[in-house]
mmCIF file of all heavy atoms in Angstrom:
data_model
loop_
_atom_site.group_PDB
_atom_site.id
_atom_site.type_symbol
_atom_site.label_atom_id
_atom_site.label_comp_id
_atom_site.label_asym_id
_atom_site.label_seq_id
_atom_site.Cartn_x
_atom_site.Cartn_y
_atom_site.Cartn_z
ATOM 1 N N ASN A 70 -10.386 -9.041 -8.915
ATOM 2 C CA ASN A 70 -10.901 -8.149 -9.957
ATOM 3 C C ASN A 70 -9.774 -7.365 -10.631
ATOM 4 O O ASN A 70 -9.794 -7.151 -11.848
ATOM 5 C CB ASN A 70 -11.916 -7.172 -9.354
ATOM 6 C CG ASN A 70 -13.189 -7.860 -8.906
ATOM 7 O OD1 ASN A 70 -13.536 -8.934 -9.421
ATOM 8 N ND2 ASN A 70 -13.897 -7.267 -7.952
ATOM 9 N N ALA A 71 -8.792 -6.929 -9.837
ATOM 10 C CA ALA A 71 -7.665 -6.186 -10.410
ATOM 11 C C ALA A 71 -6.835 -7.077 -11.323
ATOM 12 O O ALA A 71 -6.401 -6.654 -12.405
ATOM 13 C CB ALA A 71 -6.794 -5.619 -9.283
ATOM 14 N N LEU A 72 -6.612 -8.318 -10.899
ATOM 15 C CA LEU A 72 -5.863 -9.253 -11.744
ATOM 16 C C LEU A 72 -6.609 -9.540 -13.040
ATOM 17 O O LEU A 72 -6.004 -9.616 -14.118
ATOM 18 C CB LEU A 72 -5.610 -10.554 -10.982
ATOM 19 C CG LEU A 72 -4.546 -10.522 -9.888
ATOM 20 C CD1 LEU A 72 -4.555 -11.827 -9.094
ATOM 21 C CD2 LEU A 72 -3.167 -10.298 -10.488
ATOM 22 N N LYS A 73 -7.908 -9.709 -12.941
ATOM 23 C CA LYS A 73 -8.711 -10.015 -14.126
ATOM 24 C C LYS A 73 -8.669 -8.882 -15.135
ATOM 25 O O LYS A 73 -8.654 -9.112 -16.350
ATOM 26 C CB LYS A 73 -10.149 -10.301 -13.693
ATOM 27 C CG LYS A 73 -11.054 -10.729 -14.835
ATOM 28 C CD LYS A 73 -12.447 -11.051 -14.324
ATOM 29 C CE LYS A 73 -13.364 -11.473 -15.473
ATOM 30 N NZ LYS A 73 -14.740 -11.788 -14.985
ATOM 31 N N LYS A 74 -8.607 -7.640 -14.628
ATOM 32 C CA LYS A 74 -8.627 -6.487 -15.525
ATOM 33 C C LYS A 74 -7.258 -6.162 -16.095
ATOM 34 O O LYS A 74 -7.145 -5.850 -17.289
ATOM 35 C CB LYS A 74 -9.169 -5.271 -14.771
ATOM 36 C CG LYS A 74 -9.299 -4.022 -15.629
ATOM 37 C CD LYS A 74 -9.955 -2.880 -14.862
ATOM 38 C CE LYS A 74 -10.132 -1.642 -15.739
ATOM 39 N NZ LYS A 74 -10.787 -0.528 -14.999
ATOM 40 N N TYR A 75 -6.199 -6.222 -15.263
ATOM 41 C CA TYR A 75 -4.880 -5.751 -15.696
ATOM 42 C C TYR A 75 -3.895 -6.881 -15.997
ATOM 43 O O TYR A 75 -2.947 -6.675 -16.754
ATOM 44 C CB TYR A 75 -4.288 -4.828 -14.624
ATOM 45 C CG TYR A 75 -5.096 -3.579 -14.391
ATOM 46 C CD1 TYR A 75 -5.904 -3.448 -13.274
ATOM 47 C CD2 TYR A 75 -5.075 -2.536 -15.307
ATOM 48 C CE1 TYR A 75 -6.662 -2.303 -13.060
ATOM 49 C CE2 TYR A 75 -5.824 -1.396 -15.111
ATOM 50 C CZ TYR A 75 -6.619 -1.280 -13.984
ATOM 51 O OH TYR A 75 -7.366 -0.151 -13.782
ATOM 52 N N TYR A 76 -4.107 -8.042 -15.412
ATOM 53 C CA TYR A 76 -3.211 -9.179 -15.654
ATOM 54 C C TYR A 76 -4.047 -10.441 -15.884
ATOM 55 O O TYR A 76 -3.992 -11.396 -15.099
ATOM 56 C CB TYR A 76 -2.260 -9.386 -14.463
ATOM 57 C CG TYR A 76 -1.236 -8.298 -14.291
ATOM 58 C CD1 TYR A 76 -1.522 -7.172 -13.537
ATOM 59 C CD2 TYR A 76 0.022 -8.392 -14.904
ATOM 60 C CE1 TYR A 76 -0.580 -6.158 -13.388
ATOM 61 C CE2 TYR A 76 0.958 -7.387 -14.758
ATOM 62 C CZ TYR A 76 0.645 -6.269 -13.996
ATOM 63 O OH TYR A 76 1.583 -5.268 -13.843
ATOM 64 N N PRO A 77 -4.849 -10.481 -16.945
ATOM 65 C CA PRO A 77 -5.732 -11.641 -17.166
ATOM 66 C C PRO A 77 -4.968 -12.942 -17.412
ATOM 67 O O PRO A 77 -5.513 -14.025 -17.200
ATOM 68 C CB PRO A 77 -6.535 -11.226 -18.405
ATOM 69 C CG PRO A 77 -5.693 -10.193 -19.086
ATOM 70 C CD PRO A 77 -4.990 -9.470 -18.000
ATOM 71 N N GLU A 78 -3.728 -12.829 -17.862
ATOM 72 C CA GLU A 78 -2.942 -14.035 -18.148
ATOM 73 C C GLU A 78 -2.205 -14.557 -16.930
ATOM 74 O O GLU A 78 -1.603 -15.640 -16.977
ATOM 75 C CB GLU A 78 -1.935 -13.746 -19.266
ATOM 76 C CG GLU A 78 -0.718 -12.916 -18.844
ATOM 77 C CD GLU A 78 -1.020 -11.453 -18.584
ATOM 78 O OE1 GLU A 78 -2.156 -11.042 -18.882
ATOM 79 O OE2 GLU A 78 -0.149 -10.735 -18.084
ATOM 80 N N SER A 79 -2.250 -13.824 -15.813
ATOM 81 C CA SER A 79 -1.488 -14.200 -14.633
ATOM 82 C C SER A 79 -2.130 -15.378 -13.898
ATOM 83 O O SER A 79 -3.360 -15.516 -13.849
ATOM 84 C CB SER A 79 -1.381 -13.007 -13.674
ATOM 85 O OG SER A 79 -0.745 -13.380 -12.478
ATOM 86 N N SER A 80 -1.285 -16.217 -13.320
ATOM 87 C CA SER A 80 -1.744 -17.361 -12.538
ATOM 88 C C SER A 80 -1.601 -17.118 -11.038
ATOM 89 O O SER A 80 -1.707 -18.049 -10.239
ATOM 90 C CB SER A 80 -0.951 -18.616 -12.933
ATOM 91 O OG SER A 80 0.446 -18.422 -12.694
ATOM 92 N N VAL A 81 -1.352 -15.870 -10.632
ATOM 93 C CA VAL A 81 -1.169 -15.531 -9.228
ATOM 94 C C VAL A 81 -2.474 -15.728 -8.471
ATOM 95 O O VAL A 81 -3.554 -15.333 -8.942
ATOM 96 C CB VAL A 81 -0.682 -14.076 -9.083
ATOM 97 C CG1 VAL A 81 -0.712 -13.627 -7.623
ATOM 98 C CG2 VAL A 81 0.723 -13.943 -9.636
ATOM 99 N N ASP A 82 -2.407 -16.361 -7.297
ATOM 100 C CA ASP A 82 -3.569 -16.559 -6.448
ATOM 101 C C ASP A 82 -3.995 -15.225 -5.840
ATOM 102 O O ASP A 82 -3.180 -14.496 -5.271
ATOM 103 C CB ASP A 82 -3.245 -17.564 -5.339
ATOM 104 C CG ASP A 82 -4.474 -17.897 -4.510
ATOM 105 O OD1 ASP A 82 -4.727 -17.191 -3.515
ATOM 106 O OD2 ASP A 82 -5.183 -18.855 -4.879
ATOM 107 N N ALA A 83 -5.278 -14.890 -5.956
ATOM 108 C CA ALA A 83 -5.778 -13.597 -5.493
ATOM 109 C C ALA A 83 -5.611 -13.434 -3.988
ATOM 110 O O ALA A 83 -5.325 -12.335 -3.499
ATOM 111 C CB ALA A 83 -7.245 -13.437 -5.881
ATOM 112 N N GLU A 84 -5.799 -14.498 -3.212
ATOM 113 C CA GLU A 84 -5.651 -14.403 -1.763
ATOM 114 C C GLU A 84 -4.208 -14.111 -1.377
ATOM 115 O O GLU A 84 -3.931 -13.333 -0.455
ATOM 116 C CB GLU A 84 -6.136 -15.687 -1.106
ATOM 117 C CG GLU A 84 -7.648 -15.908 -1.239
ATOM 118 C CD GLU A 84 -8.108 -17.115 -0.449
ATOM 119 O OE1 GLU A 84 -7.255 -17.775 0.193
ATOM 120 O OE2 GLU A 84 -9.322 -17.394 -0.459
ATOM 121 N N VAL A 85 -3.263 -14.759 -2.081
ATOM 122 C CA VAL A 85 -1.847 -14.507 -1.812
ATOM 123 C C VAL A 85 -1.483 -13.067 -2.159
ATOM 124 O O VAL A 85 -0.765 -12.388 -1.413
ATOM 125 C CB VAL A 85 -0.957 -15.488 -2.607
ATOM 126 C CG1 VAL A 85 0.520 -15.169 -2.406
ATOM 127 C CG2 VAL A 85 -1.254 -16.925 -2.199
ATOM 128 N N LEU A 86 -2.017 -12.561 -3.267
ATOM 129 C CA LEU A 86 -1.751 -11.183 -3.667
ATOM 130 C C LEU A 86 -2.339 -10.197 -2.656
ATOM 131 O O LEU A 86 -1.686 -9.210 -2.288
ATOM 132 C CB LEU A 86 -2.325 -10.920 -5.054
ATOM 133 C CG LEU A 86 -2.176 -9.494 -5.593
ATOM 134 C CD1 LEU A 86 -0.698 -9.138 -5.737
ATOM 135 C CD2 LEU A 86 -2.901 -9.327 -6.928
ATOM 136 N N ALA A 87 -3.573 -10.467 -2.192
ATOM 137 C CA ALA A 87 -4.204 -9.577 -1.219
ATOM 138 C C ALA A 87 -3.422 -9.553 0.085
ATOM 139 O O ALA A 87 -3.209 -8.483 0.682
ATOM 140 C CB ALA A 87 -5.641 -10.018 -0.968
ATOM 141 N N GLU A 88 -2.964 -10.719 0.539
ATOM 142 C CA GLU A 88 -2.175 -10.779 1.775
ATOM 143 C C GLU A 88 -0.869 -10.002 1.627
ATOM 144 O O GLU A 88 -0.468 -9.254 2.528
ATOM 145 C CB GLU A 88 -1.889 -12.235 2.134
ATOM 146 C CG GLU A 88 -1.089 -12.404 3.417
ATOM 147 C CD GLU A 88 -0.746 -13.847 3.701
ATOM 148 O OE1 GLU A 88 -1.215 -14.739 2.957
ATOM 149 O OE2 GLU A 88 0.009 -14.098 4.661
ATOM 150 N N ALA A 89 -0.197 -10.183 0.490
ATOM 151 C CA ALA A 89 1.061 -9.463 0.253
ATOM 152 C C ALA A 89 0.821 -7.959 0.141
ATOM 153 O O ALA A 89 1.618 -7.155 0.643
ATOM 154 C CB ALA A 89 1.726 -9.988 -1.016
ATOM 155 N N ALA A 90 -0.268 -7.556 -0.492
ATOM 156 C CA ALA A 90 -0.573 -6.126 -0.637
ATOM 157 C C ALA A 90 -0.863 -5.490 0.717
ATOM 158 O O ALA A 90 -0.413 -4.376 0.998
ATOM 159 C CB ALA A 90 -1.760 -5.949 -1.578
ATOM 160 N N ASN A 91 -1.605 -6.190 1.567
ATOM 161 C CA ASN A 91 -1.882 -5.659 2.906
ATOM 162 C C ASN A 91 -0.609 -5.515 3.724
ATOM 163 O O ASN A 91 -0.491 -4.613 4.557
ATOM 164 C CB ASN A 91 -2.863 -6.573 3.638
ATOM 165 C CG ASN A 91 -4.287 -6.423 3.131
ATOM 166 O OD1 ASN A 91 -4.733 -5.326 2.831
ATOM 167 N ND2 ASN A 91 -5.002 -7.536 3.006
ATOM 168 N N ARG A 92 0.341 -6.367 3.482
ATOM 169 C CA ARG A 92 1.584 -6.345 4.247
ATOM 170 C C ARG A 92 2.554 -5.278 3.743
ATOM 171 O O ARG A 92 3.309 -4.696 4.530
ATOM 172 C CB ARG A 92 2.243 -7.726 4.201
ATOM 173 C CG ARG A 92 3.446 -7.867 5.116
ATOM 174 C CD ARG A 92 3.854 -9.318 5.303
ATOM 175 N NE ARG A 92 4.282 -9.963 4.071
ATOM 176 C CZ ARG A 92 3.603 -10.887 3.424
ATOM 177 N NH1 ARG A 92 2.409 -11.278 3.888
ATOM 178 N NH2 ARG A 92 4.052 -11.436 2.311
ATOM 179 N N HIS A 93 2.528 -4.995 2.446
ATOM 180 C CA HIS A 93 3.588 -4.149 1.871
ATOM 181 C C HIS A 93 3.126 -2.799 1.350
ATOM 182 O O HIS A 93 3.905 -1.842 1.382
ATOM 183 C CB HIS A 93 4.289 -4.912 0.740
ATOM 184 C CG HIS A 93 5.096 -6.078 1.190
ATOM 185 N ND1 HIS A 93 6.252 -5.962 1.925
ATOM 186 C CD2 HIS A 93 4.888 -7.417 1.037
ATOM 187 C CE1 HIS A 93 6.747 -7.149 2.191
ATOM 188 N NE2 HIS A 93 5.941 -8.056 1.671
ATOM 189 N N ILE A 94 1.924 -2.686 0.831
ATOM 190 C CA ILE A 94 1.543 -1.417 0.194
ATOM 191 C C ILE A 94 0.410 -0.699 0.908
ATOM 192 O O ILE A 94 0.114 0.447 0.566
ATOM 193 C CB ILE A 94 1.157 -1.625 -1.292
ATOM 194 C CG1 ILE A 94 -0.185 -2.369 -1.403
ATOM 195 C CG2 ILE A 94 2.251 -2.356 -2.039
ATOM 196 C CD1 ILE A 94 -0.707 -2.451 -2.832
ATOM 197 N N LEU A 95 -0.230 -1.321 1.885
ATOM 198 C CA LEU A 95 -1.345 -0.678 2.565
ATOM 199 C C LEU A 95 -0.897 0.597 3.277
ATOM 200 O O LEU A 95 -1.636 1.578 3.351
ATOM 201 C CB LEU A 95 -1.980 -1.649 3.562
ATOM 202 C CG LEU A 95 -3.403 -1.317 4.030
ATOM 203 C CD1 LEU A 95 -4.374 -1.271 2.853
ATOM 204 C CD2 LEU A 95 -3.887 -2.335 5.055
ATOM 205 N N LYS A 96 0.327 0.592 3.778
ATOM 206 C CA LYS A 96 0.860 1.770 4.490
ATOM 207 C C LYS A 96 0.995 2.984 3.586
ATOM 208 O O LYS A 96 1.046 4.124 4.053
ATOM 209 C CB LYS A 96 2.228 1.442 5.079
ATOM 210 C CG LYS A 96 3.312 1.180 4.031
ATOM 211 C CD LYS A 96 4.626 0.838 4.660
ATOM 212 C CE LYS A 96 5.735 0.709 3.623
ATOM 213 N NZ LYS A 96 5.436 -0.320 2.594
ATOM 214 N N ASP A 97 1.046 2.747 2.259
ATOM 215 C CA ASP A 97 1.250 3.859 1.333
ATOM 216 C C ASP A 97 0.066 4.816 1.295
ATOM 217 O O ASP A 97 0.198 5.951 0.824
ATOM 218 C CB ASP A 97 1.516 3.326 -0.076
ATOM 219 C CG ASP A 97 2.850 2.591 -0.159
ATOM 220 O OD1 ASP A 97 3.660 2.768 0.768
ATOM 221 O OD2 ASP A 97 3.067 1.823 -1.111
ATOM 222 N N ILE A 98 -1.103 4.386 1.778
ATOM 223 C CA ILE A 98 -2.240 5.304 1.861
ATOM 224 C C ILE A 98 -1.870 6.492 2.742
ATOM 225 O O ILE A 98 -2.219 7.642 2.451
ATOM 226 C CB ILE A 98 -3.481 4.577 2.417
ATOM 227 C CG1 ILE A 98 -3.953 3.514 1.422
ATOM 228 C CG2 ILE A 98 -4.606 5.570 2.710
ATOM 229 C CD1 ILE A 98 -5.149 2.720 1.899
ATOM 230 N N LEU A 99 -1.132 6.226 3.821
ATOM 231 C CA LEU A 99 -0.677 7.302 4.696
ATOM 232 C C LEU A 99 0.582 7.970 4.168
ATOM 233 O O LEU A 99 0.702 9.195 4.176
ATOM 234 C CB LEU A 99 -0.412 6.761 6.102
ATOM 235 C CG LEU A 99 -1.625 6.247 6.895
ATOM 236 C CD1 LEU A 99 -1.183 5.768 8.265
ATOM 237 C CD2 LEU A 99 -2.684 7.311 7.031
ATOM 238 N N LEU A 100 1.540 7.177 3.678
ATOM 239 C CA LEU A 100 2.840 7.730 3.301
ATOM 240 C C LEU A 100 2.763 8.595 2.054
ATOM 241 O O LEU A 100 3.582 9.493 1.868
ATOM 242 C CB LEU A 100 3.847 6.599 3.099
ATOM 243 C CG LEU A 100 4.222 5.809 4.355
ATOM 244 C CD1 LEU A 100 5.190 4.691 4.015
ATOM 245 C CD2 LEU A 100 4.823 6.717 5.417
ATOM 246 N N GLU A 101 1.807 8.323 1.168
ATOM 247 C CA GLU A 101 1.689 9.127 -0.047
ATOM 248 C C GLU A 101 1.030 10.472 0.225
ATOM 249 O O GLU A 101 0.984 11.328 -0.660
ATOM 250 C CB GLU A 101 0.907 8.360 -1.117
ATOM 251 C CG GLU A 101 1.697 7.189 -1.690
ATOM 252 C CD GLU A 101 0.929 6.449 -2.758
ATOM 253 O OE1 GLU A 101 -0.265 6.770 -2.964
ATOM 254 O OE2 GLU A 101 1.499 5.532 -3.380
ATOM 255 N N ASN A 102 0.523 10.658 1.440
ATOM 256 C CA ASN A 102 -0.004 11.958 1.862
ATOM 257 C C ASN A 102 1.131 12.714 2.538
ATOM 258 O O ASN A 102 1.584 12.343 3.613
ATOM 259 C CB ASN A 102 -1.179 11.760 2.828
ATOM 260 C CG ASN A 102 -1.868 13.077 3.168
ATOM 261 O OD1 ASN A 102 -1.223 14.101 3.382
ATOM 262 N ND2 ASN A 102 -3.192 13.041 3.227
ATOM 263 N N ARG A 103 1.604 13.783 1.904
ATOM 264 C CA ARG A 103 2.769 14.508 2.396
ATOM 265 C C ARG A 103 2.530 15.075 3.791
ATOM 266 O O ARG A 103 3.425 15.086 4.636
ATOM 267 C CB ARG A 103 3.101 15.642 1.410
ATOM 268 C CG ARG A 103 4.431 16.308 1.617
ATOM 269 C CD ARG A 103 4.815 17.061 0.359
ATOM 270 N NE ARG A 103 3.761 17.958 -0.064
ATOM 271 C CZ ARG A 103 3.711 19.256 0.231
ATOM 272 N NH1 ARG A 103 4.658 19.776 0.979
ATOM 273 N NH2 ARG A 103 2.739 20.017 -0.204
ATOM 274 N N THR A 104 1.326 15.535 4.051
ATOM 275 C CA THR A 104 1.024 16.103 5.361
ATOM 276 C C THR A 104 1.091 15.045 6.453
ATOM 277 O O THR A 104 1.634 15.277 7.536
ATOM 278 C CB THR A 104 -0.378 16.751 5.333
ATOM 279 O OG1 THR A 104 -0.422 17.727 4.300
ATOM 280 C CG2 THR A 104 -0.685 17.410 6.667
ATOM 281 N N VAL A 105 0.548 13.859 6.166
ATOM 282 C CA VAL A 105 0.580 12.768 7.151
ATOM 283 C C VAL A 105 2.009 12.315 7.394
ATOM 284 O O VAL A 105 2.410 12.053 8.536
ATOM 285 C CB VAL A 105 -0.290 11.591 6.662
ATOM 286 C CG1 VAL A 105 -0.162 10.408 7.616
ATOM 287 C CG2 VAL A 105 -1.741 12.019 6.540
ATOM 288 N N GLN A 106 2.778 12.217 6.324
ATOM 289 C CA GLN A 106 4.174 11.780 6.461
ATOM 290 C C GLN A 106 4.959 12.740 7.351
ATOM 291 O O GLN A 106 5.707 12.322 8.229
ATOM 292 C CB GLN A 106 4.811 11.676 5.080
ATOM 293 C CG GLN A 106 6.187 11.050 5.077
ATOM 294 C CD GLN A 106 6.782 11.022 3.685
ATOM 295 O OE1 GLN A 106 7.832 11.606 3.440
ATOM 296 N NE2 GLN A 106 6.110 10.341 2.775
ATOM 297 N N GLN A 107 4.779 14.026 7.146
ATOM 298 C CA GLN A 107 5.475 15.009 7.967
ATOM 299 C C GLN A 107 4.960 15.001 9.402
ATOM 300 O O GLN A 107 5.732 15.174 10.346
ATOM 301 C CB GLN A 107 5.309 16.407 7.356
ATOM 302 C CG GLN A 107 6.025 16.578 6.028
ATOM 303 C CD GLN A 107 5.839 17.966 5.443
ATOM 304 O OE1 GLN A 107 4.992 18.729 5.911
ATOM 305 N NE2 GLN A 107 6.605 18.286 4.427
ATOM 306 N N TYR A 108 3.665 14.771 9.563
ATOM 307 C CA TYR A 108 3.089 14.708 10.910
ATOM 308 C C TYR A 108 3.692 13.561 11.708
ATOM 309 O O TYR A 108 4.122 13.736 12.866
ATOM 310 C CB TYR A 108 1.573 14.546 10.801
ATOM 311 C CG TYR A 108 0.884 14.199 12.104
ATOM 312 C CD1 TYR A 108 0.594 15.177 13.050
ATOM 313 C CD2 TYR A 108 0.520 12.879 12.378
ATOM 314 C CE1 TYR A 108 -0.034 14.849 14.244
ATOM 315 C CE2 TYR A 108 -0.102 12.542 13.566
ATOM 316 C CZ TYR A 108 -0.381 13.531 14.495
ATOM 317 O OH TYR A 108 -0.988 13.200 15.678
ATOM 318 N N LEU A 109 3.763 12.370 11.104
ATOM 319 C CA LEU A 109 4.308 11.206 11.812
ATOM 320 C C LEU A 109 5.804 11.369 12.080
ATOM 321 O O LEU A 109 6.292 11.012 13.159
ATOM 322 C CB LEU A 109 4.050 9.942 10.993
ATOM 323 C CG LEU A 109 2.592 9.484 10.907
ATOM 324 C CD1 LEU A 109 2.462 8.278 9.988
ATOM 325 C CD2 LEU A 109 2.035 9.156 12.287
ATOM 326 N N SER A 110 6.534 11.902 11.111
ATOM 327 C CA SER A 110 7.975 12.067 11.308
ATOM 328 C C SER A 110 8.272 13.058 12.430
ATOM 329 O O SER A 110 9.218 12.874 13.208
ATOM 330 C CB SER A 110 8.638 12.524 10.006
ATOM 331 O OG SER A 110 8.154 13.791 9.613
ATOM 332 N N GLN A 111 7.447 14.108 12.522
ATOM 333 C CA GLN A 111 7.643 15.079 13.599
ATOM 334 C C GLN A 111 7.327 14.460 14.948
ATOM 335 O O GLN A 111 8.023 14.709 15.942
ATOM 336 C CB GLN A 111 6.756 16.303 13.355
ATOM 337 C CG GLN A 111 6.928 17.409 14.389
ATOM 338 C CD GLN A 111 8.330 17.989 14.379
ATOM 339 O OE1 GLN A 111 9.010 17.963 13.357
ATOM 340 N NE2 GLN A 111 8.776 18.497 15.516
ATOM 341 N N LYS A 112 6.277 13.638 15.009
ATOM 342 C CA LYS A 112 5.940 12.945 16.251
ATOM 343 C C LYS A 112 7.069 12.022 16.694
ATOM 344 O O LYS A 112 7.398 11.933 17.887
ATOM 345 C CB LYS A 112 4.654 12.139 16.056
ATOM 346 C CG LYS A 112 3.390 12.984 15.962
ATOM 347 C CD LYS A 112 3.062 13.634 17.293
ATOM 348 C CE LYS A 112 1.738 14.357 17.263
ATOM 349 N NZ LYS A 112 1.418 15.023 18.552
ATOM 350 N N ILE A 113 7.674 11.316 15.752
ATOM 351 C CA ILE A 113 8.790 10.432 16.082
ATOM 352 C C ILE A 113 9.973 11.238 16.589
ATOM 353 O O ILE A 113 10.650 10.865 17.555
ATOM 354 C CB ILE A 113 9.194 9.604 14.841
ATOM 355 C CG1 ILE A 113 8.064 8.661 14.437
ATOM 356 C CG2 ILE A 113 10.473 8.804 15.112
ATOM 357 C CD1 ILE A 113 8.321 7.929 13.142
ATOM 358 N N LYS A 114 10.212 12.369 15.964
ATOM 359 C CA LYS A 114 11.372 13.177 16.318
ATOM 360 C C LYS A 114 11.297 13.709 17.747
ATOM 361 O O LYS A 114 12.309 13.784 18.451
ATOM 362 C CB LYS A 114 11.506 14.333 15.326
ATOM 363 C CG LYS A 114 12.762 15.162 15.499
ATOM 364 C CD LYS A 114 12.864 16.204 14.402
ATOM 365 C CE LYS A 114 14.144 17.017 14.545
ATOM 366 N NZ LYS A 114 14.255 18.033 13.466
ATOM 367 N N VAL A 115 10.092 14.095 18.194
ATOM 368 C CA VAL A 115 9.961 14.684 19.525
ATOM 369 C C VAL A 115 9.672 13.646 20.600
ATOM 370 O O VAL A 115 9.631 13.980 21.781
ATOM 371 C CB VAL A 115 8.843 15.754 19.528
ATOM 372 C CG1 VAL A 115 9.153 16.856 18.533
ATOM 373 C CG2 VAL A 115 7.477 15.134 19.213
#
């Protein structure tokens, strides 16, 4: 659906894109939250 809306001319396979997104950008849900990022970094530090 995202490809159809924003990249209608693209020939990228949706399953390949979903797999790559889960591998590379899914973590950003946590990392883009400043509080979560600081919480995890503090846990690693101690």
Side-chain angles (χ1 to χ4, degrees):
N70 292 335
L72 286 172
K73 184 178 180 180
K74 183 175 182 179
Y75 297 104
Y76 291 88
E78 75 288 352
S79 175
S80 60
V81 170
D82 185 271
E84 293 186 0
V85 176
L86 178 62
E88 181 184 355
N91 285 321
R92 188 166 63 251
H93 292 292
I94 71 173
L95 199 60
K96 66 181 186 302
D97 293 344
I98 294 178
L99 294 181
L100 293 178
E101 289 181 353
N102 187 319
R103 192 162 53 96
T104 303
V105 175
Q106 188 182 120
Q107 292 180 348
Y108 169 80
L109 290 176
S110 63
Q111 183 63 27
K112 288 291 186 181
I113 295 174
K114 186 175 182 180
V115 300

